[in-house]
Amino acid sequence: MVSASKAKRLAKRGGAADKKDKKGAASGADEVAAGLAKVNLNGGDSTADELQAHMLRTSTGVLTSMKSSRDVRIEGFTLSCFGKVLISETTIELNFGRRYGLLGENGAGKTTFLRTLANREVPIPEHIDIYMLAEPAPPTDMTGLEWVLEEAHKELKRLEEQADEILTTEGPEDPVLQDIYDRIDAMDPSTFESRVSSMLYGLGFDADKMTKATKDMSGGWRMRVALAKALFTKPTLLILDEPTAHLDLGACVWLERYLADYDRILIVVSHSQDFLNGVCTNMIDLRAQKLSYWGGNYDAYVRTRAEQETNQMKQYNKQQEEIAHIKAFIASCGTYANLVRQAKSRQKILDKMIEDGLIEKVVPDRVFTFRFPEMTKLPPPVLGFDSVSFSYSGKMEDALYVNINLGVDMDSRIALVGPNGVGKSTLLKLMMGTLSPIGGRIQRHSALKIGHYSQHSADQLDLEKNSLEFLRDKFPHISEDLQYWRSVIGRFGLVREAQTAKIGTLSDGQKARIVFALLATESPNMLLLDEPTNGLQISVIDSLAEAINAYSGGVVVVSHDFRLLDQIAKDILVCENKTIRRWDGDIKGYKAYLAKQMEGRC
């Protein structure tokens, strides 16, 4: 039985064949233009910052895949920003049905590269629709559900108009047309509301948040609404840059399971090794201004790369020994005619090796090991909650916490977990003393000095200064010597020109390193860390875990990064139902518990 919508399309196909002849052949100038970077700043909705960044960003590349293909291959791709070359003469290759994890050091240019793709500053065919999750849903009077439904209907209309245009200009045999028809049928407007509701529920929306207007939501919750739109409309090329940054552990588990079935093209940047392992079929490594491609998830990438580098070093050492042997023979030949002839022959062999290209020595990843300063042990109780209750309104009926008891000492390594909105960050603020309980008592040791890292810690940085000037001006009583601060910030992985660049031009991960340097310089004896891994590459997260484990003070962490928590957490406290309870097990067990809860939400 043929659906009404499909019957309508078949009727259109019948009268479209004769229109195919009306398509004009592209002129030579048009063909050249198709090979140049195109600019489409999201329909003119880009922010002033993005427009300025675009003006300072240049890219080139030539499309070499078929224009009707759902794959993308662009050769000779070069990208620069603020006059700095980030990627040089490399190939972009994205195959339909693959899910790519994009790797690279902080500041290597991952986000700039993704924005270049999203804004079509490279010649991606127009039939490949692109969506990059970069901004939250706008503040409106609509609920998150209503806004996503409206966007879904817009996308359905766009697809139908695109199908009509291709049918008219290219004819019914165009290979792109069937894919668009399949997408239209799969969208199925009759199920929009139930499917979007299920998606928002998986991303952490309860009944109360479902009815809230987006204008009354925080930026993090509006980002979840935008993520729901991206997932529901299923663009051909979906780009997600740190999609878990605003999610709790439960929503991270749901998103990982959902994206594992994404059947178009996905590029994701994530600092979570667990997430990359669960989602990705391939990895792209941005290294030394080149893009290299690897099959498999993150663990497979690490294993395969290690094997290749081991073999490369064996070949490199063998070749270097051969070169040394040839040079030694040439140097020993003296002036005898027969030996001179042999020397010239060996020199030709050496010249040919150089001309063909010598095997390069493997350059290992930079590993930055930093430490927080040693602290004098404070005897317990260091920080204690005794029957503490808290409410922002001051009324017990609105309480986030009721009668909680908690102790944090110098050897504590506590992970606070639970859904967003239950008050994990609020609990940290109660520990700091920036909020006061409405009931019970909080005791702090008289010598306790707390260092706090929050998701918004980078806001305290002066974006017009470089990192050296900022730290010097922040702590002039320690040293005014920039060389001293160069060594301090260098220990946190900010090196070379990144130290002297304005903080405002640095990546989020590089800014985070400055905040860690700031924290270490303040010498606290207790660290409260609220989402400390956002923007950090995986190797730096491992360095952070090592620093936390070596730290002599107490640590309380709120994080959605399972790998970090697995390395540091001795105690896992679940915040829920206005109280806290100790999880009897490790973080892997808690993830399995969340995964079981998420069954049926996709």
Side-chain angles (χ1 to χ4, degrees):
M1 185 173 180
V2 180
S3 67
S5 62
K6 187 166 287 187
K8 180 182 176 183
R9 287 185 229 121
L10 291 171
K12 284 186 178 180
R13 291 190 194 186
D18 62 335
K19 296 181 182 179
K20 189 172 182 180
D21 296 336
K22 296 181 180 180
K23 178 187 174 186
S27 66
D30 289 338
E31 291 294 342
V32 172
L36 300 176
K38 295 178 182 178
V39 178
N40 178 7
L41 292 176
N42 299 323
D45 293 334
S46 299
T47 63
D49 288 343
E50 171 57 18
L51 285 168
Q52 181 185 25
H54 162 69
M55 292 168 64
L56 294 169
R57 189 167 64 223
T58 59
S59 62
T60 59
V62 177
L63 179 71
T64 58
S65 56
M66 293 179 62
K67 290 182 180 179
S68 61
S69 173
R70 294 185 295 181
D71 298 334
V72 176
R73 183 178 174 86
I74 297 170
E75 294 185 353
F77 175 68
T78 296
L79 174 65
S80 63
C81 189
F82 293 99
K84 178 185 177 182
V85 177
L86 300 174
I87 302 175
S88 177
E89 287 295 320
T90 194
T91 299
I92 301 173
E93 186 166 2
L94 305 172
N95 295 317
F96 190 82
R98 302 291 178 87
R99 299 181 295 276
Y100 298 89
L102 178 60
L103 306 174
E105 289 188 353
N106 293 138
K110 298 188 296 296
T111 298
T112 304
F113 169 58
L114 295 181
R115 288 191 179 277
T116 300
L117 294 179
N119 293 331
R120 295 185 181 275
E121 295 166 29
V122 288
I124 296 175
E126 291 296 334
H127 69 269
I128 294 180
D129 54 315
I130 308 171
Y131 185 85
M132 178 176 177
L133 182 67
E135 296 179 354
T140 68
D141 290 323
M142 291 185 288
T143 65
L145 174 61
E146 291 168 341
W147 185 80
V148 176
L149 287 174
E150 182 178 88
E151 293 297 308
H153 283 289
K154 287 180 182 177
E155 177 62 11
L156 181 59
K157 182 180 179 181
R158 186 193 71 81
L159 288 172
E160 290 174 339
E161 290 174 348
Q162 185 181 12
D164 288 344
E165 181 181 353
I166 293 174
L167 192 62
T168 301
T169 59
E170 305 290 342
E173 303 306 320
D174 188 279
V176 174
L177 196 59
Q178 186 57 52
D179 181 56
I180 297 175
Y181 284 157
D182 290 342
R183 290 180 66 185
I184 291 172
D185 287 338
M187 289 193 78
D188 187 8
S190 66
T191 63
F192 272 10
E193 185 166 348
S194 62
R195 287 159 55 207
V196 173
S197 296
S198 176
M199 192 168 285
L200 290 171
Y201 179 58
L203 289 171
F205 282 75
D206 56 20
D208 179 58
K209 288 188 175 66
M210 286 284 194
T211 61
K212 186 176 290 189
T214 60
K215 68 180 182 182
D216 297 324
M217 296 179 187
S218 67
W221 283 102
R222 286 192 289 115
M223 187 63 82
R224 294 187 190 211
V225 175
L227 176 57
K229 172 212 167 175
L231 299 177
F232 190 78
T233 56
K234 287 191 72 171
T236 306
L237 173 53
L238 175 59
I239 301 173
L240 301 177
D241 191 356
E242 298 287 6
T244 61
H246 301 279
L247 304 182
D248 55 54
L249 290 173
C252 287
V253 171
W254 180 88
L255 182 62
E256 179 184 319
R257 292 162 67 90
Y258 187 90
L259 289 176
D261 294 323
Y262 197 80
D263 56 2
R264 306 188 74 77
I265 304 175
L266 171 68
I267 307 177
V268 60
V269 174
S270 176
H271 60 258
S272 171
Q273 180 175 330
D274 267 19
F275 189 79
L276 293 175
N277 280 333
V279 170
C280 297
T281 61
N282 300 74
M283 306 303 297
I284 304 175
D285 193 5
L286 173 50
R287 180 186 303 270
Q289 301 181 347
K290 302 291 182 185
L291 297 172
S292 60
Y293 298 84
W294 305 77
N297 61 16
Y298 181 81
D299 281 351
Y301 153 79
V302 171
R303 184 171 57 253
T304 306
R305 184 182 155 206
E307 292 171 355
Q308 288 191 9
E309 289 183 345
T310 298
N311 292 333
Q312 183 177 334
M313 280 305 297
K314 289 179 180 178
Q315 294 171 7
Y316 169 82
N317 291 328
K318 182 179 179 181
Q319 187 180 65
Q320 289 299 308
E321 290 175 4
E322 186 178 355
I323 290 171
H325 181 73
I326 291 173
K327 287 182 176 179
F329 177 83
I330 292 172
S332 67
C333 282
T335 58
Y336 290 102
N338 63 327
L339 292 178
V340 169
R341 283 195 299 271
Q342 293 182 47
K344 288 180 178 180
S345 176
R346 298 292 178 89
Q347 183 63 53
K348 287 180 181 179
I349 294 173
L350 183 58
D351 293 341
K352 185 66 168 60
M353 291 172 64
I354 295 173
E355 182 182 341
D356 292 342
L358 298 177
I359 299 170
E360 294 184 1
K361 184 178 182 180
V362 173
V363 179
D365 291 341
R366 290 180 292 179
V367 178
F368 302 105
T369 302
F370 61 87
R371 290 290 182 267
F372 296 107
E374 289 292 320
M375 292 291 107
T376 303
K377 286 283 186 181
L378 300 178
V382 178
L383 176 63
F385 282 44
D386 183 13
S387 299
V388 168
S389 299
F390 176 78
S391 165
Y392 279 102
S393 69
K395 300 176 181 178
M396 188 61 76
E397 56 265 30
D398 301 326
L400 274 174
Y401 291 107
V402 176
N403 294 329
I404 61 172
N405 297 289
L406 173 68
V408 185
D409 296 320
M410 295 291 283
D411 58 353
S412 294
R413 297 291 183 272
I414 297 173
L416 298 179
V417 301
N420 279 3
V422 296
K424 299 187 296 294
S425 297
T426 298
L427 195 58
L428 295 184
K429 291 175 182 177
L430 286 166
M431 293 178 184
M432 291 165 53
T434 55
L435 293 176
S436 299
I438 62 172
R441 184 176 60 167
I442 300 176
Q443 293 179 300
R444 298 179 186 84
H445 194 284
S446 59
L448 177 62
K449 184 178 181 182
I450 294 175
H452 180 227
Y453 182 100
S454 78
Q455 299 184 62
H456 308 292
S457 288
D459 293 345
Q460 64 188 285
L461 304 177
D462 188 335
L463 303 185
E464 293 301 313
K465 293 180 179 178
N466 64 46
S467 59
L468 306 178
E469 295 166 342
F470 173 75
L471 290 173
R472 177 197 62 190
D473 296 345
K474 187 80 173 177
F475 304 103
H477 58 286
I478 295 179
S479 177
E480 295 189 358
D481 181 11
L482 289 181
Q483 283 300 119
Y484 171 82
W485 294 111
R486 186 179 293 277
S487 65
V488 169
I489 197 69
R491 289 196 294 272
F492 289 83
L494 207 65
V495 296
R496 297 193 291 272
E497 65 271 13
Q499 294 184 337
T500 54
K502 284 187 177 181
I503 293 175
T505 67
L506 300 178
S507 69
D508 290 343
Q510 290 171 316
K511 291 173 185 173
R513 299 178 193 219
I514 300 173
V515 177
F516 284 126
L518 181 68
L519 268 182
T521 305
E522 289 174 342
S523 298
N525 41 32
M526 183 173 291
L527 292 173
L528 307 181
L529 307 176
D530 193 355
E531 299 294 359
T533 63
N534 285 351
L536 297 180
Q537 65 198 66
I538 293 173
S539 62
V540 178
I541 294 174
D542 290 341
S543 296
L544 174 61
E546 291 176 7
I548 290 173
N549 287 331
Y551 179 56
S552 55
V555 180
V556 182
V557 180
V558 175
S559 176
H560 60 267
D561 191 297
F562 286 99
R563 178 175 170 80
L564 175 73
L565 298 183
D566 186 44
Q567 293 182 79
I568 67 169
K570 295 179 181 177
D571 294 294
I572 300 170
L573 301 183
V574 182
C575 303
E576 60 183 6
N577 300 324
K578 301 184 180 183
T579 187
I580 57 175
R581 64 180 176 88
R582 190 176 302 277
W583 173 257
D584 185 18
D586 60 13
I587 196 65
K588 292 178 180 177
Y590 185 67
K591 182 179 182 180
Y593 163 77
L594 291 175
K596 190 172 182 179
Q597 280 193 323
M598 293 294 152
E599 289 178 3
R601 292 192 181 188
C602 292

